[in-house]
């Protein structure tokens, strides 16, 4: 038997002890994450910063309040007198930027303030702004990265997605019977799924920047497109309602009473809609607007995540939850990767993502001619 | 705080120690269950019996070989000389019968053989045959019931179902995409689901007495309707192929090469088909014969169990896994109770049963007029 090789899990060698993030710094990072969340989701990432004295006391706090305003580090430094940050440690949720946009590079601001050490959670994922850590090191600043990186990554995940793809993260949600229907033959569909599933949907709506529906669904269902609690009251965070399609929305439509002004796109070009939303700083979109729209997003390959709520009922009939998704033949099937299956009361929630395209494994090649999926 | 009441879990009082099944008797019961499985599944239950000497040695073994032949107890007794069973213990998987059918009551046969003690696993679930234990006790025989009752119940579950309902246990199986399609728009459907799901299907086919397909599916897919191993070889147990519908099956159809002769029912009356199968001793039916047939079984309320294999793909289009199930409006939805959700490779298997009819819980009553399942 061959000797087993064990992966090395030794701590990385470090020249100086003080390069390890201390407990005080980790606490400060958690505080910086809290501060970051106070900022708006938009064109820029949410970032928070805390300035610590060499003794570990908080000297100042800051966060980014949106495009055109000071970055978090600069916001924190601005609360201190010119020399107060000399020798201090800056704890920041994201790698200090190294580029000049509407504001100057944060790395430079930190150097000029005399900051001796920078602890940040997450490397800047963008090409334009990265390099801040190198610049700081080159100026003799101690730099440490990594603490609370997962939380920091989660915080800017949608923004990162937008930077990488040029469009918001898109979740397409629908509810269906086990046999794939959205309604019974006569169109009735009230509460196919139960209260637990609806609660889950509303919580997820609240996490999105925008909720997208088609004009057909707005006309037929008159949805409020709000995120609501069980008692019908509005949750604190509300997605912006976005209506896509060419028919008119009635002046007394429920969506016009949404706490946020609805946005109307009189087009079927979903790519254009998403690009425009991205330019407005919409990082995360929740598509919940009926079979036609859901099918179009799938057909165009624009879904990053699917939420399929399955009620344990059979309905039959022609009211399908999904229509033409652009699959003429089985070889073109839209393959998914199931991330989770969860029970919500009587219902199931399947969370899936588009699978990386590629052939199925050889094991799946039919061994016998004439074999068929239905029965063989 | 109120005092908590604990359920009493004391052993039942017994007058004589020897009324408890001994370890030897429990071993004999396991042997009797093995013997029972040698008998055929058919109009009568599978039953096995072992005769033990007072010292615990096996004197004889027997099992039931099908309607018209000796019951298990009588089969075992028949191997002994007239007085050899006097004072012995009979260990039987099912309560000895008390009725005269094609054979006399087993209870009487045991009494006449001088059996001193009877240990059986499961009470006879039928009215006609029950009462054997009472008759034995009245004749002074020690009677003990219960050991290995679960295994014995499992063994005769389908037969019991047939006795109670007058028809076989019906499993309706289909495979579908997540959006409820059985095939892509052009009809191609090969291997929507993967090898693990197919293996599971074939194992379940082997457990059924009959596999039912519609003539349309037989014509279009030419299925073999056999239970096969991964390498295509036939499993030991094969369900009888049953073809339902009014169109002809070609003389060179694959099903005509099935190791068991196919049964053809030129009718759409599924109740009549099941009644006839029951009269032939078919206890368990596996319906796997296409969307039309599956829908008809659901529509008629004839499914006891559903197996829905869901492949993580979207297909869209009109090739639905289920058609009209007789649901005009949402109030008439065929509600299911999900027994399990299992991963099979990339696929999911949902096992469900028809839910007991009744209104949904009050919590599900809509709170707001105009709310709709799709989006609200």
């Amino acid at each position: 038997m061959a000797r087993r090789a064990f992966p090395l899990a030794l701590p990385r060698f470090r020249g100086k002890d003080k390069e390890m993030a201390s407990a005080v710094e980790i606490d400060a990072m958690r505080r910086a994450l809290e501060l970051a969340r106070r900022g708006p989701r938009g064109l820029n990432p949410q970032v928070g910063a805390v300035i610590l004295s060499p003794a570990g006391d908080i000297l100042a706090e800051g966060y980014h309040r949106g495009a055109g305003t000071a970055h978090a580090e600069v916001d924190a430094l601005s609360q201190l007198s010119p020399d107060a940050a000399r020798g201090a440690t800056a704890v920041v949720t994201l790698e200090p930027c190294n580029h000049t946009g509407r504001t100057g590079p944060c790395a430079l601001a930190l150097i000029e303030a005399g900051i001796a050490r920078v602890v940040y959670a997450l490397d800047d994922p963008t090409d334009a702004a990265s390099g801040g850590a190198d610049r700081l090191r080159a100026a003799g600043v101690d730099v440490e990265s990594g603490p609370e990186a997962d939380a920091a990554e989660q915080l800017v995940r949608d923004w990162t997605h937008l930077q990488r793809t040029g469009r918001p993260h898109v979740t397409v949600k629908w509810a269906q019977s086990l046999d794939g229907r959205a309604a019974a033959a006569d169109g009735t569909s009230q509460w196919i799924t139960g209260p637990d599933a609806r609660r889950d949907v509303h919580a997820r709506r609240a996490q999105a920047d925008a909720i997208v529906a088609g004009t057909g669904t707005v006309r037929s269902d008159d949805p409020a497109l709000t995120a609501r609690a069980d008692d019908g009251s509005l949750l604190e965070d509300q997605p912006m309602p976005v209506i896509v399609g060419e028919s008119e929305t009635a002046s007394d439509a429920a969506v016009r009473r949404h706490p946020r002004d609805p946005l109307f796109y009189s087009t079927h070009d979903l790519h254009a809609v998403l690009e425009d939303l991205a330019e407005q700083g919409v990082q995360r979109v929740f598509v919940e607007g009926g079979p036609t729209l859901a099918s179009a997003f799938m057909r165009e390959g624009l879904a990053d995540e699917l939420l399929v709520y399955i009620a344990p009922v059979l309905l039959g009939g022609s009211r399908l939850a999904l229509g033409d998704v652009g699959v003429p033949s089985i070889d073109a099937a839209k393959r998914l990767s199931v991330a989770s299956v969860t029970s919500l009361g009587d219902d199931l929630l399947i969370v899936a993502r588009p699978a990386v395209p590629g052939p199925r494994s050889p094991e799946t090649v039919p061994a016998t001619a004439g074999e068929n999926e239905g029965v063989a």
Side-chain angles (χ1 to χ4, degrees), chain A:
Chain A
M1 194 175 158
R3 281 178 56 200
R4 183 167 164 206
F6 290 92
L8 287 170
L10 300 173
R12 188 153 60 95
F13 175 77
R14 291 166 186 285
K16 291 174 282 184
D17 267 357
K18 70 170 183 169
E19 278 191 10
M20 307 278 286
S22 67
V24 168
E25 288 169 347
I26 290 169
D27 282 349
M29 186 64 81
R30 289 177 185 150
R31 173 66 183 156
L33 285 164
E34 279 177 31
L35 293 166
R37 289 187 191 98
R38 293 188 189 170
R41 289 167 60 90
L43 289 172
N44 285 1
Q46 291 170 295
V47 184
V50 168
I51 310 291
L52 293 176
S53 74
D57 297 319
I58 292 180
L59 298 176
E61 299 179 337
Y63 64 95
H64 181 55
R65 288 170 178 77
T69 70
H71 286 191
E73 306 89 320
V74 175
D75 181 46
L77 290 174
S78 71
Q79 294 161 47
L80 297 175
S81 55
D83 278 338
R86 203 153 296 278
T89 295
V91 176
V92 199
T93 57
L94 189 65
E95 179 183 357
C97 75
N98 190 32
H99 87 313
T100 304
R102 285 190 259 188
T103 60
C106 293
L108 187 61
L110 292 165
I111 293 163
E112 288 177 349
I115 289 286
R117 172 167 164 79
V118 170
V119 180
Y120 69 87
L122 187 71
D123 290 333
D124 194 305
T126 61
D127 287 340
S130 66
D134 290 342
R135 183 160 186 178
L136 288 164
R137 282 195 190 92
V141 178
D142 268 347
V143 179
E144 170 71 22
S145 67
E148 301 296 310
D150 286 350
E153 197 278 331
Q154 178 67 39
L155 188 66
V156 300
R157 184 170 289 177
D158 295 332
W159 175 81
T160 305
H161 180 279
L162 196 151
Q163 300 307 309
R164 286 210 193 99
T165 65
R167 57 176 180 79
H169 180 279
V170 174
T171 296
V172 176
K173 170 261 170 180
W174 68 87
Q176 66 171 51
S177 60
L178 181 55
D179 58 334
R181 270 69 171 188
D186 65 355
T188 51
S189 68
Q190 293 204 325
W191 313 126
I192 290 180
T193 51
D196 292 354
R198 290 199 298 279
R199 189 175 303 127
D200 188 78
V201 168
H202 282 276
R204 290 176 191 263
R205 282 184 183 178
Q207 288 166 12
D209 301 313
I211 180 169
V212 182
T215 47
T217 293
V218 168
R219 194 176 52 232
S220 62
D221 298 354
D222 195 22
L225 299 181
T226 48
R228 301 186 295 279
D230 285 357
D231 63 3
S233 64
L234 295 179
L235 298 178
E236 190 177 330
D237 294 321
Q238 291 294 330
M240 173 172 66
V242 174
I243 318 296
V244 177
E246 289 179 352
S247 50
E248 281 292 307
T249 296
S251 58
D252 61 348
V255 71
R256 294 195 186 272
R257 298 188 294 277
H258 196 284
R260 297 182 64 178
D261 285 339
L263 214 54
F264 294 91
Y265 289 95
S266 182
T267 177
H268 293 296
D269 183 345
L270 297 177
H271 293 269
V273 170
L274 290 177
E275 275 167 35
D276 191 74
L277 289 174
E279 280 169 23
Q280 299 193 41
V282 168
Q283 297 177 10
R284 191 174 191 90
V285 157
F286 200 70
V287 176
E288 209 192 348
T292 306
L293 194 65
S295 304
F297 269 91
M298 294 311 306
R299 200 165 54 236
E300 298 292 325
L302 289 171
D304 299 298
E305 180 184 65
L306 278 77
L307 304 177
V308 185
Y309 295 83
I310 300 183
V313 302
L314 300 175
L315 292 175
S318 61
R319 307 273 185 161
L320 297 159
L322 217 58
D324 174 15
V325 294
V327 176
S329 185
I330 197 74
D331 300 332
K334 301 275 185 192
R335 296 222 157 256
L336 307 173
S337 161
V338 173
S340 66
V341 181
T342 313
S343 281
L344 292 169
D346 291 339
D347 307 312
L348 294 176
L349 166 60
I350 296 185
V351 179
R353 300 190 178 87
V356 178
R360 297 203 80 181
S361 69
E363 203 189 349
T364 67
V365 172
T368 314
E371 293 284 355
N372 185 286
E373 178 59 30
V375 58

